[in-house]
Amino acid sequence: MTTEQSDATAGGKTAPGDGDGAASAGAPGAKTGPGATAAKAGSGDAQTGITDAETKAGTTDAESTVTTTDAATTAGTGGATDETARDDAARTGAGDIAAKADTAGAAAKASTGEATDGTAGAGDTDADAKADTTDAAAKAGAGKATDGTAGDGDPGGAGKASPTGPAKADDKTEPGKSTKPEDPFTAFGPAPERVLTRPRRAVRAVGRFLIHEWTLATVAVLALAVLMTWPTLRYPGYTLPQDYWDPSLQAWQMAWSGHILLTDPAQLWNSNTFFPDPWSFAFSDTLLGYAPAGMIGHGPEAALVRYNIMFVLAHALATLGAYALARQLGAGRIGAAVAGASYTYAPWLLAQAGHLHIVSNGGIPLALAMLARGHGWSLRYGYRPERRHAGWAFLGWLVAAWQLSLGFGIGLMFAYLLAGIVLVAAVIWFARRWLVRPVKRPFGGRLFLADLVGGLLFGAVGALLAVPFFKVAELHPNAARTLGDIAIYSPPASGFFTAPAESRIWGQLHEGARAVLPWHPEMTLLPGFALYALAAGGLFFSVWRVRHRLYLLAGVLISMILAMGTRFFGGTYTFVPLFEYLPGWNGLRTPGRLMLWATLFLGLLAAGAVTAFCARVRELAAERVPPWPGPWLRLATLLPLLLVVVEGLNVTPHPVVPQQPAAMRTVDGPLLVLPSSQNLDQPVMVWSTGRFQQMVNGGSGFTPESQAKVRDVSVDFPDQPSIDYLRQLGVKNVVVLPDRLGGTPWERMLDKPIDGLGVTREDVGGAIVFHLAG
């Protein structure tokens, strides 16, 4: 309808008592009477140009009859005041079709409640056109006349169903009775939603949970962790990954923390090993965050099962954490999966399979993801205040504190990184808020409080955990690292392209390159050639902005330079200043483990490239019929993930842990187990988890002077000086393991007599026990 037509319609009026409700389509102000219906309709057609009415005027007799019948029925149900309207409608010929159609449209409007007395208004010159639209039909069916007469709900449709059956030409509604309106289009609409019972709602909620992205991601990372670490869970009560030295130590750490927190928490740091030295639990990273797991089970076998389960779960958490970080920063699902898999299964990490405190790094990306989500920030979309959530921010600080409790080996760098992020973010936020371009940048009191409380909690955990280590450094000066120690473990640049022996793909191929490295377990730092290629592509083709790509590249280079320790121009301007001036940095022994950060940044660069590639695939697929990727395009999007996973396949050995001697289940402490060395003592620590009796044995990153002296003195055991020294120390029993004496300084000790020494000798389950108490 044109503007002129609308104006003409607005001026039309209907005379009172006009039962047909004929539409006035003439000039503004014109009135229509009962005797001039057809003429006025014709005049209206001529003035307003309603082609639909003209078309209807030329219809066949059958169409005329249907339209006339519909107009008459509608007029009757719309509340006409006398029978004259229906008689007039019945007598009307084909020449009056346009007017009668308008009458039907007006009557339909009356049924929608637009007329208050049942008389249709004549101001709608486009009523015939409206009768053919869905909107008019819906109005006609939904409305009700205010005088109690229901509208027919069908302004222009012949043969539509009424409440009692199909509409007919001679149907008449008795005065004073109403018919229930029915929308003819309800047959084509959706069925009303069923009201679900409580069990059905529960089932639906469970179903939505099971197919949620994060549920599927969690299940996927768990399954991948089991497969990629296999056969760790094949014989979890008897084997350990890589070797049974450091893993035995860490299995004991979890068992001790769980046991002592349940029995005597005040003695946490004074463990049953390294007797009689105090603070012995802080002689190495503690894995204190795994203490709740240590409360489950008892004895050596439970300690091994616990370790293997946590080893697999650590891989799963690392993958999930890196996936969550990439998703929060703006990567797609496949790109985030590439970041997660590359972060967890980088070839260089295969050499760290015996160091659970290094493998347990999933809290780092997970905490960063939660903090970014809580602050409404992503790398791709920037700061979005409407997405802030104080709860996520506080939870991020809690996860960060938990990660720090696993050890300072990687937790220390994480703490410094968080401090740097907070400082830089605060400076940038205030600069943009008040100095550079004063604009309103909301932050929120709740978020500020969450950051304040969470940050203080994180700092408090770090400070409390640092106290025992400072005490150990004070009591044991030989525990301090020197730049000479750092130089021994500093890798050359070739280490970034050399894989460890545990790599299934590159292990044998890089055997020659490993041979020239002074200490290859800590110097083979290959993150994966596939990851290198994807990250390089991400510098040129990515969803990240160019400056963000450069930031990530800078993070990669800085991490690699620091990982080289003193190999990068002597570390004069890189590692050495950190070692000398930053608190705690001089406790780090192996700078190559800083490769963890380079791997994370490379993964984020790769995620940007893969996400951009997947977006391009969707654009190409949109041009297809049907519009979704074909099998080859789908395979192309999964190829980067497949390459990263395949490059992380391993041949890590899983040796059987020596079985606990029966004497360890019966002999009281304090005791000494011979032979003794750092590697030999670590399985002994696991054996002690049955009773946690005090013992001189223990293995860590350094050897206390008291323990070194015991080993020196006991070489001549049993003789009077060694027995006197052990008695003075407080040792009551010495357990000798004959099957382990070969090739050690103690291999001839069982041939010595004990007459006159005041000791007794007993064979307990194959072990020889010397009771020093006499």
Side-chain angles (χ1 to χ4, degrees), residues 8 64 93 124 180 193 230 292 323 337 433 492 580 594 623 700 714:
S64 302
D124 189 0
K180 184 178 179 181
E193 186 175 356
W230 190 260
Y323 177 87
R433 177 67 176 85
E580 292 180 344
L594 289 169
E623 302 173 0
S700 67
S714 64

Side-chain angles (χ1 to χ4, degrees), residues 11 186 194 208 242 280-281 319 353 381 458 478 493 572 581 603 637:
T186 54
R194 296 172 56 186
R208 286 196 298 264
Q242 196 172 58
S280 55
F281 193 50
T319 308
Y381 305 108
F458 176 79
N478 62 319
T572 305
Y581 298 109
T637 58

